[in-house]
Amino acid sequence: MPGALPIAPRPYPDELISSWLARIAACYEVSITELRQELSPGSSGTKVRADVEWKRSEAKSAAQRLRVDQNAIMRLNLKRRWPRLVTAWLPRIDGKGRARGELDLAWCHVCLAEGHATGGAYLDAEAALPLIFCHRHGTWRQDFCRRCQPHHEPRFSWRTRIEFTCTDCGVPLRTNRWSGPRPASDCRPEEGSAALNLLFAFDGGLRKALLGRSASLTGVGQVSARQFLAVLDGLTRALLAPDINRTSRINLFNSPLLPNLPNHEPQTWEERPFHELSPAYRAHVSCAVIALLSDEPVSRLMSGVRPAYERHSLEWLLASMPKWVQATLIRESIRWPAPLRARVVAHHRRTGLDVDDILEQFRAWLVEREQRLRERTSLIG
């Protein structure tokens, strides 16, 4: 066994394993992957997310070389911390998801500042969850530096103490104090406050569901964790689904909390799950979901639809979507709470859609389209 590393910051009790490893890697100016390979030479698991699936053999080697009790670092494992955590909803860090590097990028600047004050900034466990807010401080989570337009993922760096910094401009991200997006100019203060409270409560319900607990779902009431996540997943995919004009239904929502978000212009037919969205776009989608499930006053508040126009309800969404999206929601609604499932079933009965046939035709069209693209590429190449 190689010798112990001379510098090894201690892990914080609520820290992500990846954050702890990144802070150590910063001391030696290497990546997390390079550090893990050094700590456990020949291990085949160094590309697997350590926060959830850290092999015991690798953890044992790391504990010995970093002079840390193995049980102490294994307690940082997210499944050990939250045994019922829905790990399938954690953002991917393999380059195919939202994350731009080896760390999750949804931090709270107050949490970073508190860590810095006690010895060094770090990412706490809840930074791994696909949330909009830090529910300890009531702050908006951030995923990029607001002092510049970064092209690289943030990183930990060694200064007088360890900092979590913007790689492009070098600013400590604890200093990126941000109070959230500026509400629409025509939004009255009481409307903005009410909308923010609704969004914060919805995000709190999502947090409970992610941790495997029952939660209150807007317009329905108390539901199981699986039901909450199934509804959010289905409606997110429906709202972001492309149509033939390369636009999505989410563009028809204009919450007063997020009035200046760019239109969603999907370039492929691949689906975008909720947990792979940025915190700001999670807020955009969450406002839309609240609008779809709520009664008229709340629906109009969260969607920005004026009284002269039809409000954006679940029935409106079902009737306005492409048939393949309607068929997908009809099929997926079997996992939804009974009151919502009944509304989808009523739409199915009104339209008489042949769900199996529609989805089979859509899948065949996708296969044919992909084949034509491959043929075109081969001709060009």
Side-chain angles (χ1 to χ4, degrees), residues 197-344:
N197 289 339
L198 288 166
L199 180 60
F200 192 84
F202 183 86
D203 195 55
L206 171 59
R207 180 184 178 277
K208 288 183 178 180
L210 292 170
L211 302 185
R213 306 204 301 262
S214 63
S216 179
L217 181 61
T218 304
V220 179
Q222 204 73 9
V223 299
S224 70
R226 287 186 179 183
Q227 290 175 326
F228 190 109
L229 296 178
V231 171
L232 181 56
D233 181 59
L235 291 179
T236 298
R237 293 174 188 273
L239 288 164
L240 300 180
D243 61 21
I244 203 66
N245 297 316
R246 293 295 186 187
T247 187
S248 300
R249 293 301 177 272
I250 189 64
N251 296 332
L252 299 177
F253 290 80
N254 189 30
S255 168
L257 292 177
L258 303 122
N260 299 314
L261 281 181
N263 278 347
H264 180 60
E265 298 177 349
Q267 300 301 310
T268 72
W269 290 88
E270 294 181 3
E271 296 179 320
R272 294 289 305 280
F274 183 89
H275 51 278
E276 297 296 353
L277 303 175
S278 69
Y281 229 84
R282 291 173 194 158
H284 188 26
V285 169
S286 295
C287 286
V289 170
I290 295 170
L292 291 171
L293 302 182
S294 300
D295 56 16
E296 185 158 353
V298 171
S299 177
R300 292 194 181 279
L301 171 65
M302 301 304 285
S303 65
V305 176
R306 301 303 181 190
Y309 299 92
E310 180 183 1
R311 76 180 180 94
H312 292 354
S313 63
L314 178 60
E315 287 73 17
W316 166 87
L317 181 69
L318 286 164
S320 67
M321 292 186 302
K323 286 186 177 180
W324 70 271
V325 184
Q326 295 181 49
T328 301
L329 273 188
I330 290 170
R331 175 169 289 180
E332 290 184 353
S333 67
I334 192 172
R335 301 183 295 143
W336 290 14
L340 294 182
R341 187 165 64 248
R343 293 166 66 179
V344 178

Side-chain angles (χ1 to χ4, degrees), residues 16 123 178 262 297:
L16 281 172
L123 292 172
W178 185 58

Side-chain angles (χ1 to χ4, degrees), residues 46-98:
T46 53
K47 292 185 179 180
V48 177
R49 181 194 183 99
D51 296 318
V52 180
E53 300 179 56
W54 207 13
K55 291 172 61 176
R56 185 165 289 276
S57 59
E58 186 188 348
K60 180 180 179 180
S61 175
Q64 291 174 341
R65 298 198 60 194
L66 298 172
R67 308 179 307 283
V68 179
D69 177 63
Q70 183 178 344
N71 289 329
I73 56 176
M74 290 305 291
R75 281 195 293 270
L76 303 180
N77 183 293
L78 293 177
K79 284 293 285 185
R80 181 80 69 87
R81 185 186 304 276
W82 298 307
R84 298 169 66 184
L85 173 67
V86 185
T87 56
W89 273 65
L90 299 181
R92 298 171 64 176
I93 56 172
D94 57 4
K96 298 180 181 179
R98 174 191 66 87

Side-chain angles (χ1 to χ4, degrees), residues 15-35:
E15 186 171 15
L16 281 172
I17 292 175
S18 57
S19 168
W20 176 57
L21 292 173
R23 291 193 299 118
I24 298 170
C27 299
Y28 300 95
E29 297 186 345
V30 298
S31 68
I32 297 177
T33 299
E34 290 170 333
L35 175 68

